[in-house]
Amino acid sequence: MKELQVLEALKPKLTNIFNHLHQNPEISWQETQTTAFIAEVLKEEGVCFQTLPTTTGLIAEIGSGEKAIGIRTDIDALWQEVNGVLQANHSCGHDAHMTMAIGTLLVLHRLNVHKKGRIKFLFQPAEEKGTGALKFIEEGLVDDLSYLFGVHVRPIQELADGQCSPAIMHGAGRFVTGEIIGEDAHGARPHLGQSAIEIGAAMVQELNRIKLDPMVPHSVKMTKFQAGGDSSNIIPGKAQFSLDLRAQTNEVMQQLATKVEAIFAYLSSLYEVEIHYEITADIAAAQVDDDAVQLMGQAIIETIGKDEMVPPIITSGGEDFHFYTLKKPELKATMLGLGCGLSPGLHHPEMNFNHEAIFTGIEILVKTVLNTLEKEGA
């Protein structure tokens, strides 16, 4: 097929693109060089694009028409310790996602599909913060889309190398930061203050006692707790903490959040301290469209065969991609789950995967767009 010939010719260029993106990661909302690099690639190919005045990321388009088919990729990296050094790191595969989006764009551009319709590519920042999709929605960048497709590399715990799924049923996530505000006390006179450490321990115990529907996966855990200083004879009255909430549905997430808020109020009253908190990010659970899933599934079968297609996978991880359908219910969307031998796991500082899977992903995305154009034009 012609698209395979075009993709084969592009492989050296796409390999160089991936290597550059992998070696130059940037954290959320700071993806300035990443945006500039993608813009330069598109400029060289003669593809129309626009950078955004209020944020990083960019939008590219080929073809024409009132409604467009969208391809979305995330562009940010994580900040984590790698070999003893804190640094930006593409341990969630966004370098691969960007390469697949660019590859899909270039293949479709060279196939002259602009005569069949309009395809819009969203290079979205700050997925790891859970706020990038909301910014794109706020800016009206998806208002003209009828379909939206994404992709995410999957760990070996979910998909084997060579397998693919036409949908990823991500769960909801909520990230909370807070502060316990009490009074310090001398180690010999604990009754004159409040121990933030003991309150933190009580908080962990109460969080572990939360009981919700066991048929819906959910969890809440403390991921940061900082209290005290260098003086071991001072009982700290203040502490900072972070919580990570997960639930497979948006409804159970709301129930979980209500329980957590009740725990804050209870401990505040019991220990006579103030507990201040804020929600730093909310991530919606997946809401996928049957038509989009069918079109993606058809492309998977055409690319790797029916035996390698796995039904939609359920994962406790989160993705801000699903804000697009939560905020725009009329948008038909799904995300390709790409098996690529990824290990030890997503967000592991030494995450690695079979880079050849990038080209499989591009082929599937190209065929998904072509199938959708055919369906829309029928």
Side-chain angles (χ1 to χ4, degrees):
M1 297 177 70
K2 191 174 181 181
E3 58 261 30
L4 291 179
Q5 296 174 341
V6 174
L7 177 57
E8 189 65 32
L10 281 167
K11 281 185 177 181
K13 181 182 184 75
L14 293 171
T15 298
N16 290 336
I17 288 172
F18 171 78
N19 289 336
H20 176 90
L21 293 169
H22 180 74
Q23 293 163 11
N24 295 275
E26 295 178 296
I27 60 175
S28 301
W29 297 123
Q30 297 181 32
E31 311 95 331
T32 53
Q33 295 305 311
T34 301
T35 299
F37 174 76
I38 296 170
E40 188 61 33
V41 170
L42 300 181
K43 188 183 298 181
E44 290 175 358
E45 291 289 328
V47 174
C48 295
F49 68 91
Q50 64 178 85
T51 53
L52 307 171
T54 62
T55 181
T56 46
L58 56 85
I59 302 294
E61 290 191 20
I62 56 175
S64 61
E66 182 180 353
K67 283 289 186 178
I69 297 166
I71 298 289
R72 173 270 196 182
T73 179
D74 31 24
I75 68 172
D76 56 330
L78 290 154
W79 184 258
Q80 63 185 156
E81 184 175 324
V82 182
N83 297 323
V85 179
L86 284 169
Q87 62 183 67
N89 186 37
H90 272 305
S91 58
C92 199
H94 296 188
D95 45 358
H97 303 166
M98 285 185 278
T99 305
M100 284 185 269
I102 293 170
T104 301
L105 191 162
L106 296 186
V107 171
L108 292 170
H109 183 57
R110 296 187 182 192
L111 289 174
N112 294 318
V113 298
H114 62 277
K115 299 176 182 178
K116 299 181 179 180
R118 183 161 62 98
I119 305 100
K120 190 172 184 178
F121 293 81
L122 289 76
F123 294 88
Q124 178 213 298
E127 186 279 327
E128 296 296 351
K129 292 288 187 183
T131 50
L134 290 171
K135 180 63 175 177
F136 270 29
I137 294 167
E138 178 188 325
E139 295 290 333
L141 299 176
V142 296
D143 289 351
D144 58 346
L145 299 184
S146 55
Y147 285 86
L148 180 64
F149 299 103
V151 59
H152 207 301
V153 291
R154 304 315 301 162
I156 55 175
Q157 295 88 347
E158 293 180 3
L159 288 176
D161 192 7
Q163 293 181 328
C164 288
S165 174
I168 308 173
M169 305 305 293
H170 285 102
R174 175 170 290 186
F175 310 132
V176 176
T177 61
E179 185 177 17
I180 299 167
I181 303 175
E183 291 291 336
D184 289 359
H186 193 290
R189 302 175 185 87
H191 63 291
L192 297 179
Q194 301 100 351
S195 172
I197 293 173
E198 292 179 4
I199 297 168
M203 187 181 295
V204 171
Q205 291 178 333
E206 294 299 327
L207 293 173
N208 288 337
R209 289 194 181 104
I210 292 176
K211 298 293 188 293
L212 298 174
D213 185 352
M215 300 304 292
V216 181
H218 60 274
S219 69
V220 55
K221 52 272 181 192
M222 187 175 286
T223 54
K224 184 183 82 171
F225 189 85
Q226 295 177 338
D230 294 334
S231 299
S232 58
N233 63 345
I234 295 177
I235 301 171
K238 294 183 180 180
Q240 292 79 44
F241 64 88
S242 295
L243 302 182
D244 177 294
L245 286 68
R246 305 279 172 167
Q248 202 58 51
T249 67
N250 293 317
E251 294 75 17
V252 171
M253 171 55 73
Q254 188 55 53
Q255 295 171 20
L256 187 60
T258 300
K259 294 279 190 182
V260 171
E261 290 170 2
I263 288 171
F264 291 160
Y266 164 68
L267 294 176
S268 179
S269 175
L270 179 65
Y271 289 95
E272 298 181 332
V273 296
E274 295 181 28
I275 298 179
H276 297 166
Y277 68 94
E278 66 173 328
I279 299 167
T280 57
D282 247 331
I283 299 175
Q287 297 178 180
V288 303
D289 176 79
D290 290 342
D291 285 347
V293 172
Q294 189 275 328
L295 289 163
M296 183 74 78
Q298 178 185 344
I300 292 172
I301 292 171
E302 291 172 353
T303 302
I304 60 176
K306 189 174 183 179
D307 290 344
E308 298 303 321
M309 183 173 76
V310 175
I313 54 176
I314 297 175
T315 179
S316 57
E319 240 286 355
D320 81 346
F321 177 86
H322 304 297
F323 274 126
Y324 292 114
T325 48
L326 181 68
K327 302 293 186 181
K328 301 281 184 180
E330 71 280 5
L331 185 59
K332 298 179 178 181
T334 191
M335 176 172 276
L336 169 66
L338 185 70
C340 52
L342 191 155
S343 66
L346 290 167
H347 290 206
H348 190 283
E350 297 177 6
M351 183 275 277
N352 202 359
F353 66 97
N354 176 9
H355 295 174
E356 285 297 312
I358 290 173
F359 304 116
T360 301
I362 293 171
E363 187 179 349
I364 292 170
L365 290 173
V366 167
K367 288 180 177 177
T368 299
V369 171
L370 294 176
N371 292 340
T372 306
L373 287 170
E374 183 177 348
K375 181 178 185 297
E376 292 290 274

